[in-house]
Amino acid sequence: MANAKVIQSKQEAVDVIAGKLRESVTTVVVDYRGLNVAQVTELRKQLREAGIEFQVLKNSLVRRATAAAELSDLDAVLTGPTAIAFGTEDVVTPAKILNDFAKANDALELKGGVVEGRVVSADELKALASLPSREGLLSMLLSVLQAPMRNFALAVKAVAEKDEQQSA
């Protein structure tokens, strides 16, 4: 009887993890060995403030969840102590926070992850982390869109000033 309850609770955990893998736009798998409690607490705080869920999970449960979510390629990085960050809003933010934290704390290592349903390597996550945030990209786009109008306005102003000087 106790065995059935344990199996059922593990299956529910697998279902929850599989659901998170499907729902998140970015999932980052990290090795946190060597981080002290204060560092882990600081990392969790940064992730929580950004709306990212961070959990330490058993590899065996995550492997079953990846099979259920059809992301079995992720199994290659599920070795040793594993923590996973699930980001559901922004694609870049989870990778950026974890990559920046890993630069400051050598003990944290990015292993791999899933970006918009595609399994990616640690190097691809680092490249993703180097991209500007969504707000930064929108700001750049707005600047590019405003440039032609600004240049046109400056040209019209220069022509008007030239005409004023010639008439005076």
Side-chain angles (χ1 to χ4, degrees):
M1 206 51 142
N3 243 357
K5 287 182 182 179
V6 170
I7 291 172
Q8 181 182 0
S9 70
K10 286 185 179 183
Q11 184 56 47
E12 289 171 2
V14 167
D15 293 342
V16 168
I17 297 166
K20 288 179 184 179
L21 285 168
R22 286 188 203 103
E23 292 167 8
S24 67
V25 291
T26 303
T27 302
V28 181
V29 179
V30 297
D31 182 345
Y32 63 94
R33 270 185 291 208
L35 290 179
N36 62 36
V37 174
Q39 292 169 322
V40 172
T41 302
E42 176 60 28
L43 177 59
R44 285 182 185 273
K45 179 179 175 256
Q46 289 179 22
L47 291 168
R48 187 174 42 252
E49 288 172 355
I52 300 162
E53 188 175 346
F54 186 71
Q55 292 182 313
V56 175
L57 298 166
K58 292 183 80 168
N59 290 334
S60 59
L61 295 178
V62 177
R63 280 190 194 97
R64 290 179 185 202
T66 58
E70 298 176 0
L71 296 167
S72 295
D73 292 344
L74 190 62
D75 292 353
V77 298
L78 297 175
T79 57
T82 301
I84 302 178
F86 299 99
T88 57
E89 295 171 14
D90 186 16
V91 175
V92 177
T93 303
K96 185 178 285 293
I97 291 172
L98 288 164
N99 189 50
D100 291 348
F101 197 86
K103 286 179 184 174
N105 301 281
D106 292 337
L108 185 72
E109 176 191 350
L110 273 63
K111 293 177 164 184
V114 180
V115 176
E116 294 183 334
R118 189 174 76 80
V119 176
V120 295
S121 69
D123 291 335
E124 290 172 300
L125 283 172
K126 289 174 184 173
L128 178 66
S130 68
L131 293 175
S133 66
R134 182 176 189 275
E135 290 77 21
L137 289 172
L138 289 174
S139 172
M140 288 179 201
L141 176 63
L142 183 60
S143 176
V144 167
L145 293 175
Q146 286 178 339
M149 291 302 293
R150 190 176 328 119
N151 291 341
F152 178 71
L154 290 173
V156 168
K157 181 180 176 189
V159 169
E161 287 175 354
K162 182 179 176 189
D163 287 346
E164 279 181 23
Q165 288 176 354
Q166 287 178 352
S167 63

